[in-house]
Amino acid sequence: MKVLLALGGNAMTNVDGRARPEDQIAAAEAAMEAVAGLVAAGVDVVVTHGNGPQVGNLLVKNELAAAVVPPVPLDWCGAQTQGTLGFVLMDALDASLARRGVDKRSAAVVTRTRVDADDAGFTSPTKPIGRFLSAEEAGHLMDHGETWQDRGEKGWRRVVASPEPLEVIDAPAVHALVEAGFVVIANGGGGIPVVRREDGVLEGVEAVIDKDLGAALLARSITVDVLVIATDVPNAVLHYGTPEAAPLGRVTVAEMRGLAAEGHFASGSMGPKVDAVCRFVENGGGRAVITNLDHIVDAVTGEDAGTVVVPN
Ligand code: ADP
Ligand code: MG
């Protein structure tokens, strides 16, 4: 059995949201302990991860150091977080595998994902990133070509394109490493966004790809059996945040699309996860699960855990 596990920001930071190096290492150790359990049970696991807090931190460094060292573009931030988190996850995973006496090693792949240069996000960016700034500070960055929006009381926030992921360029490398017996970490942050120029050359672009939609695409590209999206809640919830709130268990993909259309899942958080699990199953995937880290082993083995989406 082959599984793609997508780890949310909560799996990479302290429970209170802190992201000091030691917090990230501790969170990675907890997550990779669960992954090692799956690997020990004979499952081929590919891991992907979010990078929102980490990219946010890099953007602050860009801003504060701009007068001394040149700021780097968003695709570079994505690549840097794939490298750092890949390294942290490999250390944690190799240690967990060694403790269990499992003769397997990890490998992290810097992964590019192709997007369309004509994606609507490039003309009307919608994805908020980084910290809030004053109107004056934001104005200075807008002079340098960035798009910032007035978010009221909290201040101004940068918005960037979040284009549709079309092709995981490095999926064949991921596939080959899995076949060779590695536990692979890939497509972090949804992949480094690149476009293909008219001369065929790939080029990074200023954008961020949704991690969960990127995970669904990679999962299909390397034909995994199960896609597991691990976040900080055990289930997707109907009537979330109301007295009628009810955790959602097993549904068909048609039922899930219907519930999404009724507006049960918030657009910036649970919405893309629901979209991702539906896409995976609609494109031929066998089963997709949204749950938290505590339930990922059950989610893979098919126990009654999390929100499970199956073909109609
Ligand atoms: P991650 O960082 O793991 O990718 P997000 O923070 O983006 O996760 O999304 C998970 C969050 O989505 C939950 O912590 C919860 O606050 C929120 N959420 C919004 N709508 C729902 C819903 N219908 N059911 C469950 N959680 C929801
Ligand atoms: Mg989160």
Side-chain angles (χ1 to χ4, degrees):
M1 165 142 48
K2 201 190 322 180
V3 170
L4 180 75
L5 174 67
L7 300 171
N10 63 294
M12 303 307 305
T13 51
N14 193 288
V15 274
D16 63 10
R18 279 185 299 175
R20 297 172 307 181
E22 55 266 42
D23 299 320
Q24 299 190 48
I25 289 168
E29 285 172 347
M32 293 306 101
E33 186 59 23
V35 169
L38 287 171
V39 175
V43 179
D44 287 338
V45 185
V46 176
V47 176
T48 190
H49 57 82
N51 66 352
Q54 291 80 8
V55 167
N57 287 351
L58 289 179
L59 293 175
V60 174
K61 292 184 189 181
N62 266 348
E63 287 162 20
L64 297 182
V68 188
V69 286
V72 299
L74 269 179
D75 47 327
W76 282 44
C77 293
Q80 288 175 12
T81 63
Q82 284 187 352
T84 307
L85 291 171
F87 151 64
V88 167
L89 290 169
M90 283 197 296
D91 270 1
L93 186 53
D94 286 345
S96 288
L97 291 171
R99 262 198 307 278
R100 287 166 191 262
V102 178
D103 186 22
K104 276 205 159 197
R105 293 280 305 279
S106 60
V109 177
V110 174
T111 317
R112 298 160 295 175
T113 292
R114 188 172 62 80
V115 302
D116 186 347
D118 295 326
D119 193 286
F122 291 110
T123 35
S124 353
T126 53
K127 172 72 181 174
I129 59 164
R131 59 181 185 155
F132 291 88
L133 293 182
S134 69
E136 194 192 334
E137 292 166 310
H140 184 67
L141 292 161
M142 282 157 72
D143 290 342
H144 286 82
E146 294 184 2
T147 308
W148 286 69
Q149 284 178 354
D150 186 355
R151 296 270 162 158
E153 257 180 29
K154 285 173 133 178
W156 286 62
R157 196 145 186 232
R158 185 177 176 193
V159 285
V160 299
S162 183
E164 182 73 21
L166 299 178
E167 176 191 2
V168 182
I169 298 284
D170 301 294
V174 175
H175 182 75
L177 283 165
V178 174
E179 293 296 301
F182 287 89
V183 183
V184 184
I185 297 147
N187 215 36
I192 304 165
V194 297
V195 296
R196 195 177 289 287
R197 298 192 321 213
E198 262 170 32
D199 62 3
V201 172
L202 293 169
E203 189 172 69
V205 283
E206 288 263 18
V208 294
I209 297 174
D210 182 84
K211 173 259 300 174
D212 296 307
L213 298 183
L217 185 61
L218 176 62
R220 284 304 299 148
S221 312
I222 58 170
T223 55
V224 304
D225 302 291
V226 187
L227 168 64
V228 179
I229 296 189
T231 182
D232 53 358
V233 287
N235 292 74
V237 174
L238 302 180
H239 306 286
Y240 184 73
T242 76
E244 289 82 53
L248 184 60
R250 191 182 178 95
V251 284
T252 67
V253 62
E255 286 167 337
M256 192 57 141
R257 285 292 190 198
L259 293 168
E262 286 171 19
H264 286 282
F265 313 113
S267 62
S269 53
M270 189 51 70
K273 299 182 198 309
V274 169
D275 194 9
V277 294
C278 287
R279 287 182 190 195
F280 175 72
V281 173
E282 285 162 352
N283 289 302
R287 179 159 53 93
V289 186
I290 300 170
T291 191
N292 60 12
L293 272 184
D294 293 343
H295 291 101
I296 60 171
V297 176
D298 287 345
V300 170
T301 53
E303 299 296 313
D304 187 20
T307 296
V308 184
V309 177
V310 294
N312 296 320

